[in-house]
Amino acid sequence: MNGFDYVFSLFGLLLGFSLAEMLAGFSRVLGARAHVRIGWLTPLLGLLITTDLISFWSNAWEMHDLIPGGFAALMVAAIIASIYFLAASLVFPRRPADWPDLDDWFLRHRRQVIGGVALANAAMIAGMAAIVPGMFTHIRQGIVPALFYAVAAALMLVSHKRVLIALLVLDLSFYWVFRYL
């Protein structure tokens, strides 16, 4: 077992719990749809967080030769994955019937969710920069995070629902556009 396998076993487990939390939350909402207006904001946020988790997992795999084993790497992986889990647990309400309009849930919890994901991504970027010399030598490595954080900030500050939907769709499109550039 190399360092990556050692670290990724914990990292993958915790990220898997985050994905399971997203699916369980969406399932609860679907089960309560007769009493709950689902809207677009919360499902789009769920899709965004799920996409970010998968992208994160993919990025970690692409760096498997560079990730060292040991206590420090395990701590960093556990912290990042724990932040993801906490953010994922706030995307959907535990008791959807208590929230007749999920747009209200989104507006109340989006800052914690988006902020958590932004923090997890910042920790990963810092970790990558520490182990990959000259990581930001290609313009793409700087543009992608800059756009991500600009949209994340807008998602935390804007209150107009249509603008929020557009920002969520824009943010989702980044994962596809920049993955295949």
Side-chain angles (χ1 to χ4, degrees), residues 25-36:
F26 190 57
S27 175
R28 287 190 303 269
V29 165
L30 285 178
R33 70 184 176 274
H35 309 289
V36 175

Side-chain angles (χ1 to χ4, degrees), residues 18-97:
S18 298
L19 287 172
E21 180 66 28
M22 296 297 301
L23 291 171
F26 190 57
S27 175
R28 287 190 303 269
V29 165
L30 285 178
R33 70 184 176 274
H35 309 289
V36 175
R37 182 189 166 283
I38 295 176
W40 285 97
L41 293 173
T42 301
L44 281 172
L45 181 61
L47 183 59
L48 176 65
I49 302 310
T50 299
T51 303
D52 194 74
L53 280 164
I54 292 167
S55 174
F56 207 82
W57 208 321
S58 174
N59 290 340
W61 173 253
E62 290 171 5
M63 296 182 54
H64 71 278
D65 290 336
L66 303 171
I67 296 175
F71 182 75
L74 282 171
M75 282 302 293
V76 170
I79 289 168
I80 291 170
S82 296
I83 293 168
Y84 264 116
F85 181 82
L86 293 172
S89 71
L90 290 174
V91 172
F92 295 100
R94 288 262 175 240
R95 296 188 339 223

Side-chain angles (χ1 to χ4, degrees), residues 18 41-42 46 71 94 105 112-113 116 120 125 130 138 143 147 157 161 163:
S18 298
L41 293 173
T42 301
F71 182 75
R94 288 262 175 240
W105 174 268
Q112 294 92 344
V113 173
I125 290 168
H138 188 275
I143 289 176
L147 289 172
L157 298 172
K161 289 181 183 180
V163 174

Side-chain angles (χ1 to χ4, degrees), residues 2-4 6 20 25 27 36-37 47 66 68 75-76 88 90 97 103 117 120-122 127 142 144 152 165 172:
N2 64 21
F4 174 78
Y6 178 66
S27 175
V36 175
R37 182 189 166 283
L47 183 59
L66 303 171
M75 282 302 293
V76 170
L90 290 174
D103 286 352
V117 171
N121 276 279
V144 173
I165 290 169
L172 277 163

